Amino acid sequence: MTAVCEPLRCFVADESGATAIEYGLIAGLIAVGVLAAMTMFGANVSTMFEGISSRAGEELDNINEIPPA
């Protein structure tokens, strides 16, 4: 009976698999958070960069113009 109980005790006491599962859950939660942030702020960030690009383009178009004296 002891020969059967000893491997069972070792199996129950082994926490290495639990640690791997915990890391997997943490990685999954981080991924969900990143996706939620991208979904919520993605349109705003895109609009901001489009505005910056438009302003930069206008300034580059006007760079060769001679200012009035």
Side-chain angles (χ1 to χ4, degrees):
M1 186 70 172
T2 304
V4 174
C5 291
E6 189 62 32
L8 186 59
R9 281 189 207 140
C10 289
F11 178 74
V12 171
D14 185 15
E15 294 183 5
S16 62
T19 303
I21 291 172
E22 290 167 357
Y23 284 132
L25 289 172
I26 290 169
L29 288 174
I30 290 171
V32 168
V34 167
L35 288 173
M38 282 188 209
T39 301
M40 288 174 38
F41 301 118
N44 294 337
V45 172
S46 177
T47 302
M48 180 184 70
F49 280 116
E50 287 174 4
I52 292 170
S53 174
S54 174
R55 290 181 190 169
E58 290 170 3
E59 291 301 319
L60 289 174
D61 288 342
N62 297 331
I63 201 165
N64 291 329
E65 292 182 8
I66 300 172

